[in-house]
């Protein structure tokens, strides 16, 4: 303690008979607090904002503020202005001999007073400071010694935890022994303040003071007083902040966040399991790894994050996550239970299509229903919170007791990875997430489905970071031995006749066009950037030649499909082949019987046969034979017509027309279409009759039809074009001319318009367009 003795200066400040000045007495190392009164009775002066307590004109020592209703600080000087009062409060901490002198306090415009600050060491008991420690829930007593001259004065006890606030004063009436703070004055030379049931919130700085006026006598009712603080106490609270039960599960993970008081946020943290050695968190603001623990000391938030994965029964223990403070420490106790629960979902692998959404289901212990949580593993396999901007694409919903779902919409390239979900439990000083479900999310681009002979654009998006790096397109996984390199961005593609390349560095898109598609082109393509990025796209090919079958109600039909390589075969019903393979009624070489459907592989003959028994009229429609080729497919379109028993060719046609009609989403359009079509057919028939030498090869017709189909399906997403359909009109096989394609396509720009096109060989008179209003 410094022994600085300053001699008081007595200033007389009598202006027209009124004492307009104050004398403050403090001690070196101590603090003072006083109220600067407006002794000028003209209240309207108080409307001016701006109060000050300054040593000199420029106020380099002191404080000048316009802030009201809260403490404003300038170093050791603080000022509180309550605009409704006729005074404001000034607090000066850690006085020194240099502070001794004359100051002015007042309202900036109209009034001011001189204030003399005397920094004196009235006795050895003034201006002392101590550091005290206490463990949580303890009771401590603080002793404050004063000069016996103050024995009759009011004693005060202030807390500085945020701003100076009075906790107790000795002239307050009855103090119950139940109170948290108890002040007892010996009225001789000391007073004691007892603080009971210490908590972390009690951590901080306290001041003991006496109320006095300018003399050593007890202030009278009318005297202007100030408070001389004689002792400063720094109270450090240690020990157990809280004890929390955390439930986790075998082979799952748990994420725990321990929160510490702000003032310790920079201190070193630790983890301790039962009574074993403390594991120090050596580095701050980065993940560190020790045994099973991944730890992150977040000094900006005052948090210690702990992640433990692959839990086993041996991880069940009582842990402490704590902060080191000198030789003491402050910690939270975690009672971790690790139990075996079988009813959680097994870890899943989901594949999401870029741009679409994907649903993840999570099961969790029902009693933990506070907050649902999902996180994504980073490179170090630590499951981290998803950033709040990304979180908008994550929609949570409860689907059943103990089950919730998360839908990730508009899936992005960066969404690939491993997710964990579970329930989060929050306490004041600890948040824990028991992660119970693992989801591996892989991404693919939407499949590209094209007909044999067409061309296909394969779009490889990559992230901006990779724009300067060579992009690869491979058939099969790039850099694997069995992968076939198609093209890479730094390669001259001119040599490759089937391939052209577009490089959009602004959209970060590398587009490869493959022309003249063959069955062999079907397969899984991979876009890759070095070893850091890969993304697959399925190219599916529809063979030029379709199959048509006729059968009767009640009978059965055998459909034989060729296959090239002895791959997995599949047969399904639906308009879109890729969708029917996934979601439709299907049989495959793996699953060869499904109700009335059965599939037989005849590998030696290079065919597989599908039998459908007990046919009904409803079985008429479109089917697909598919051959899987490394995850992708080669399709053959199959049309099945199931006719009623009494098969006259007329009634057959009628049936078909009705059947087809009912398949259309826009019946009205179809009706109009069919009428127009009939007209067109009549016209054609008429024309053909008068042009007997017009020999159009059926091949040419067919390829024209396929061109149409290709035109319609390009760029339209296979799952989102309900208005697309190909109609095969009732044909009389002997008359090979009655074939036409009708396609409906929604215009993207004007969704209320649908165009119906009729196409017919190269003659140019058979094109019509119908606009429908919805
Ligand atoms: C108070 O001050 C205002 C503004 O200066 C003045 O107009 C008014 O006369 C004063 N009133 C008294 C009672 O002095
Ligand atoms: C008080 O002021 C002295 C210098 O006058 C300084 O050395 C000391 O650190 C200050 N103490 C506090 C608690 O601010
Ligand atoms: C300073 O302290 C001494 C010793 O207690 C005392 O005699 C003297 O009156 C004090 N000065 C003032 C101005 O209070
Ligand atoms: C707080 O508790 C620890 C043991 O938990 C003990 O070593 C220490 O002395 C205690 N501190 C105080 C101020 O009682
Ligand atoms: C002490 O408390 C009493 C009663 O609440 C109050 O009237 C008095 O102004 C207080 N004194 C000080 C110095 O705060
Ligand atoms: C203050 O505490 C001390 C030590 O515990 C005790 O001896 C003294 O009597 C207490 N004084 C009062 C006024 O309670
Ligand atoms: C001590 O304080 C805590 C809150 O900080 C409270 O929950 C507890 O009941 C208190 N204990 C006693 C004995 O007052
Ligand atoms: C949690 O479950 C309990 C019992 O099933 C229920 O009463 C409570 O409302 C649920 N809380 C939330 C936040 O869903
Ligand atoms: C790009 O690289 C920077 C620095 O390596 C990284 O922080 C950022 O996440 C990367 N962006 C993407 C989309 O991967
Ligand atoms: C595509 O763009 C990248 C980055 O500008 C460049 O390195 C690459 O050579 C380009 N490839 C082609 C085929 O233009
Ligand atoms: C490439 O893709 C596979 C399968 O989708 C995935 O497991 C792997 O981590 C990916 N590699 C990189 C570097 O992204
Ligand atoms: C076909 O129908 C017959 C008679 O209605 C029935 O016995 C048989 O089980 C059916 N077969 C299949 C595969 O549904």
């Amino acid at each position: 303690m410094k022994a600085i003795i300053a001699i008081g200066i007595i200033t007389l400040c009598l202006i027209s008979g009124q004492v307009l000045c104050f004398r403050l007495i403090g001690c070196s190392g101590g603090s003072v607090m006083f109220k600067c009164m407006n002794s000028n009775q003209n209240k309207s002066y108080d409307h001016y904002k701006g109060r000050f307590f300054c040593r000199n004109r420029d106020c380099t020592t002191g404080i000048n503020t316009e802030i009201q209703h809260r403490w404003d600080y300038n170093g050791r000087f603080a000022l509180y202005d309550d605009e409704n009062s006729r005074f404001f409060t000034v607090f000066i901490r850690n006085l020194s001999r240099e502070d001794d002198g004359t100051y002015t306090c007042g309202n900036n415009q109209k009034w001011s007073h001189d204030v003399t600050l005397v920094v004196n060491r009235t006795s050895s008991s003034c201006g002392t400071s101590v550091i005290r420690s206490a463990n949580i829930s303890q009771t401590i007593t603080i002793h404050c010694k004063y000069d016996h001259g103050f024995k009759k004065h009011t004693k005060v006890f202030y807390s500085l935890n945020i701003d100076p606030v009075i906790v107790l004063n000795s002239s307050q009436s009855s103090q119950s022994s139940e109170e948290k703070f108890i002040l007892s004055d010996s009225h001789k030379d000391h007073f004691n303040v007892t603080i009971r049931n210490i908590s972390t919130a009690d951590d901080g700085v306290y001041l003991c003071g006496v109320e006095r006026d300018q003399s050593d006598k007890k202030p009278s009712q009318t005297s202007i007083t100030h408070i001389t603080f004689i002792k400063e106490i720094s109270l450090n609270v240690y020990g157990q902040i809280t004890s929390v039960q955390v439930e986790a599960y075998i082979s799952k993970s748990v994420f725990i966040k321990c929160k510490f008081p702000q003032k310790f946020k920079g201190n070193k943290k630790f983890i301790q399991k039962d009574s074993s050695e403390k594991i120090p968190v050596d580095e701050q603001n980065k993940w560190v790894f020790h045994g099973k623990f991944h730890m992150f000391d977040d000094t900006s938030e005052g948090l210690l994050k702990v992640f433990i994965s692959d839990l086993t029964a041996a991880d069940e223990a009582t842990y402490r996550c704590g902060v080191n403070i000198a030789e003491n420490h402050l910690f939270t106790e975690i009672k971790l239970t690790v139990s075996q629960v079988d009813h959680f979902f097994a870890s899943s692998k989901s594949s999401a299509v870029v741009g679409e959404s994907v649903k993840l289901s999570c099961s969790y212990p029902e009693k933990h229903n506070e907050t649902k949580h999902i996180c994504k593993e980073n490179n170090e396999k630590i499951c981290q919170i998803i950033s709040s901007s990304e979180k908008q694409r994550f929609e949570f919903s409860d689907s059943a007791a103990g089950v919730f779902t998360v839908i990730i919409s508009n899936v992005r390239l960066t969404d690939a990875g491993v997710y964990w979900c579970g329930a989060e439990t929050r306490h004041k000083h600890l948040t824990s997430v028991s992660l119970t479900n693992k989801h591996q999310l892989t991404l693919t681009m939407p499949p590209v489905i094209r007909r044999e002979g067409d061309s296909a654009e394969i779009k490889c998006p990559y992230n901006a970071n990779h724009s300067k790096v060579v992009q690869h397109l491979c058939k099969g996984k790039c850099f694997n031995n069995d992968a076939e390199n198609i093209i890479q961005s730094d390669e001259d593609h001119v040599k490759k006749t089937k391939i052209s390349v577009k490089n959009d560095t602004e959209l970060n898109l590398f587009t490869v066009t493959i022309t003249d598609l063959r069955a062999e082109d079907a397969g899984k393509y991979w876009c890759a950037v070095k070893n850091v990025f890969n993304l697959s796209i399925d190219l599916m090919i529809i063979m030029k030649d379709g199959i048509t079958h006729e059968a009767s109600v009640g009978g059965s039909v055998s459909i034989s499909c060729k296959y090239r390589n002895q791959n997995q075969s599949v047969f399904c019903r639906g308009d879109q082949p890729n969708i029917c393979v996934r979601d439709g009624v299907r049989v495959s070489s793996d699953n060869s019987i499904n109700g009335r459907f059965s599939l037989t592989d005849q590998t030696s003959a290079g065919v597989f046969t599908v039998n459908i028994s007990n046919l009904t009229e409803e079985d008429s429609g479109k089917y697909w034979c598919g051959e899987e080729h490394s995850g992708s497919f080669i399709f053959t379109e199959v049309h099945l017509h199931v006719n009623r028993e009494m098969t006259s060719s007329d009634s057959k046609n009628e049936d078909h027309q009705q059947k087809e009609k009912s398949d259309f989403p826009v019946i009205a359009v179809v009706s109009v279409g069919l009428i127009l079509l009939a007209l067109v057919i009549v016209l054609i028939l008429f024309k053909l009759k008068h042009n007997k030498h017009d020999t159009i090869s059926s091949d040419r017709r067919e390829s024209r039809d396929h061109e149409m189909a290709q035109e319609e399906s390009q760029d339209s997403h296979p799952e989102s074009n309900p208005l697309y359909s190909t109609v095969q009109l009732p044909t009389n096989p002997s008359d090979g001319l009655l074939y036409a394609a009708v396609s409906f396509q929604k215009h993207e720009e004007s969704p209320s318009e649908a165009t119906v096109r009729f196409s017919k060989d190269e003659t140019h008179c058979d094109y019509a367009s119908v606009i429908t209003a919805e």
Side-chain angles (χ1 to χ4, degrees), residues 549-561 571-574 585-587 592-600 609-625 638-642:
H549 272 272
E550 305 266 339
S552 305
V553 168
S556 66
V557 65
S558 277
I559 301 164
S560 287
C561 307
F571 181 86
C572 63
R573 178 174 188 173
V585 175
R586 53 173 278 176
V587 277
S592 63
I593 295 175
N594 181 0
R596 295 176 295 116
F597 291 70
S598 61
L599 184 147
T600 340
T609 305
V610 176
N611 193 282
I612 313 173
S613 62
N614 289 9
L615 288 168
T616 67
E617 280 183 78
E618 281 70 42
D619 292 327
S620 293
K622 201 192 274 185
Y623 295 80
W624 298 90
C625 286
V638 178
H639 281 272
L640 176 63
H641 306 295
V642 181

Side-chain angles (χ1 to χ4, degrees), residues 514-729:
I514 308 177
T515 55
D516 191 21
L517 291 170
R518 303 271 156 235
E520 308 85 78
D521 293 321
K524 200 175 267 300
Y525 286 75
W526 288 84
C527 304
V529 173
K530 281 200 218 139
N531 281 326
V532 292
F533 171 75
N534 62 40
L535 183 65
S536 72
I537 302 164
D538 289 333
L539 176 61
M540 305 188 184
I541 307 285
I542 299 174
M543 298 311 294
K544 223 187 292 194
D545 300 316
I547 304 172
T548 303
H549 272 272
E550 305 266 339
S552 305
V553 168
S556 66
V557 65
S558 277
I559 301 164
S560 287
C561 307
K562 264 194 273 182
Y563 66 132
R564 267 144 279 264
N565 310 306
Q566 284 152 20
N567 289 323
Q568 172 88 327
S569 52
V570 62
F571 181 86
C572 63
R573 178 174 188 173
D575 278 342
Q576 297 292 336
N578 60 316
I579 298 184
C580 90
V581 159
R582 201 181 65 194
D583 304 327
V585 175
R586 53 173 278 176
V587 277
S588 63
S589 29
D590 276 351
N591 191 1
S592 63
I593 295 175
N594 181 0
R596 295 176 295 116
F597 291 70
S598 61
L599 184 147
T600 340
D601 272 317
Q602 286 146 289
T603 17
S604 52
V607 293
F608 66 94
T609 305
V610 176
N611 193 282
I612 313 173
S613 62
N614 289 9
L615 288 168
T616 67
E617 280 183 78
E618 281 70 42
D619 292 327
S620 293
K622 201 192 274 185
Y623 295 80
W624 298 90
C625 286
E627 173 186 349
E628 197 184 332
H629 188 87
S630 64
S632 192
F633 288 89
I634 301 164
F635 289 111
T636 303
E637 195 170 338
V638 178
H639 281 272
L640 176 63
H641 306 295
V642 181
N643 308 315
R644 270 189 238 138
E645 215 73 69
M646 21 80 80
T647 48
S648 93
S649 74
D650 280 356
S651 68
K652 206 202 287 177
N653 288 353
E654 207 176 280
D655 286 352
H656 284 162
Q657 271 181 18
Q658 270 160 11
K659 183 88 211 87
E660 299 292 355
K661 222 158 121 178
S662 64
D663 282 341
F664 288 134
V666 188
I667 292 167
V669 178
V670 177
S671 314
V672 176
L674 287 173
I675 292 163
L676 281 170
L677 192 63
L679 267 169
V680 170
I681 292 160
V682 168
L683 262 171
I684 294 158
L685 284 172
F686 182 78
K687 193 174 167 187
L688 285 168
K689 241 182 198 160
H690 295 268
N691 190 3
K692 283 194 169 135
H693 301 292
D694 187 357
T695 50
I696 300 152
S697 82
S698 70
D699 277 354
R700 260 170 89 193
R701 271 200 321 279
E702 235 172 72
S703 75
R704 179 77 181 99
D705 293 334
H706 288 316
E707 265 169 52
M708 280 296 302
Q710 173 208 336
E711 200 182 312
E712 302 299 341
S713 62
Q714 260 177 15
D715 296 323
S716 66
H717 196 279
E719 279 178 277
S720 59
N721 53 352
L723 279 175
Y724 172 86
S725 177
T726 302
V727 184
Q728 190 170 346
L729 280 179

